[in-house]
Amino acid sequence: MYDGDIASVLITEQEISDKVTELAKQVAADHPEGDSDLVLITVLKGAVMFMADLARALPVPVQLEFMAVSSYGSSTSSSGVVRILKDLDRDIADRNVVIVEDIIDSGLTLSWLLKNLQSRKPRSLQVCTLLRKPDAVKVEVPVKYVGFDIPNEFVVGYGLDYAERYRDLPYIGTLDPKVYSN
Ligand code: XMP
Ligand code: MG
């Protein structure tokens, strides 16, 4: 599949699986089963695989919510101005919430999302990301759970895409430059 498009495997399927188990333990330790279920919020589409695996690894009941957002074009995406294309189906007031992210790069989208969700008065709000790039450390976005810190390279697989392709790869890898130049 995708013959010759992947330059290198950065994180194997086994490494992802082990990390998901570890992250699930951390999240569960902070969120014991209580009077209401933990809510996992995923922003479509990159974190869908991660959310599906994390939800099944968590030993506490969770409810799944999805959002779809779009940045106002490339010039304003850096300003973190975001438009909601699909909002949550349910109120999160007084609920324990974990945002499930695929990757944090500049952190601007996440920073906007945290503000937006915080205004809905959840009981608690944390972020769990599978991947984090070096720039993310510069911004003040509180991220409690991080899977892997990776180099500043474009990666695909396990939900992450290039032009909507490669999301279905079971591992995370770097793209061969020939793919960009096609
Ligand atoms: P910010 O800069 O707001 O961006 O933290 C996070 C979003 O940027 C995309 N992104 C990537 N997508 N491979 C991808 O497939 C990458 O290496 C990558 N780096 C950033 C992604 O949509 C993420 O949610
Ligand atoms: Mg993408």
Side-chain angles (χ1 to χ4, degrees):
M1 204 159 68
Y2 303 123
D3 265 351
D5 288 3
I6 305 301
S8 67
V9 176
L10 196 64
I11 307 170
T12 65
E13 193 172 357
Q14 186 61 51
E15 286 166 338
I16 294 171
S17 166
D18 292 347
K19 188 64 79 175
V20 168
T21 305
E22 188 188 317
L23 288 171
K25 276 189 194 139
Q26 290 177 30
V27 173
D30 295 343
H31 302 88
E33 195 166 345
D35 53 336
S36 66
D37 296 343
L38 179 63
V39 180
L40 301 184
I41 296 181
T42 298
V43 179
L44 297 170
K45 311 172 189 168
V48 164
M49 310 290 179
F50 179 40
M51 175 202 241
D53 287 341
L54 186 69
R56 286 175 292 180
L58 275 164
V60 293
V62 295
Q63 295 180 13
L64 309 182
E65 284 292 329
F66 297 92
M67 277 181 91
V69 301
S70 101
S71 301
Y72 279 110
S74 56
S75 59
T76 46
S77 67
S78 57
S79 71
V81 178
V82 173
R83 188 163 56 108
I84 297 178
L85 302 177
K86 188 222 168 291
D87 207 343
L88 305 176
D89 291 330
R90 301 197 175 249
D91 189 14
I92 55 166
D94 203 34
R95 300 295 296 272
N96 293 312
V97 175
V98 173
I99 301 172
V100 180
E101 274 281 8
D102 49 354
I103 185 165
I104 304 174
D105 190 355
S106 75
L108 286 166
T109 312
L110 182 60
S111 162
W112 176 90
L113 188 66
L114 275 168
K115 253 183 235 141
N116 180 289
L117 295 177
Q118 202 71 66
S119 74
R120 307 183 199 201
K121 306 269 185 285
R123 188 182 304 176
S124 67
L125 181 62
Q126 301 292 352
V127 179
C128 178
T129 188
L130 182 65
L131 308 173
R132 183 168 66 178
K133 284 188 173 178
D135 281 351
V137 185
K138 293 183 207 155
V139 294
E140 281 184 40
V141 184
V143 181
K144 187 146 192 192
Y145 315 102
V146 179
F148 302 93
D149 279 299
I150 62 166
N152 210 358
E153 278 180 89
F154 195 79
V155 294
V156 296
Y158 195 63
L160 292 156
D161 73 304
Y162 174 69
E164 294 300 328
R165 303 190 82 209
Y166 312 106
R167 293 193 197 276
D168 48 344
L169 285 174
Y171 58 85
I172 290 165
T174 57
L175 266 189
D176 192 295
K178 80 161 198 283
V179 177
Y180 302 100
S181 49
N182 273 346

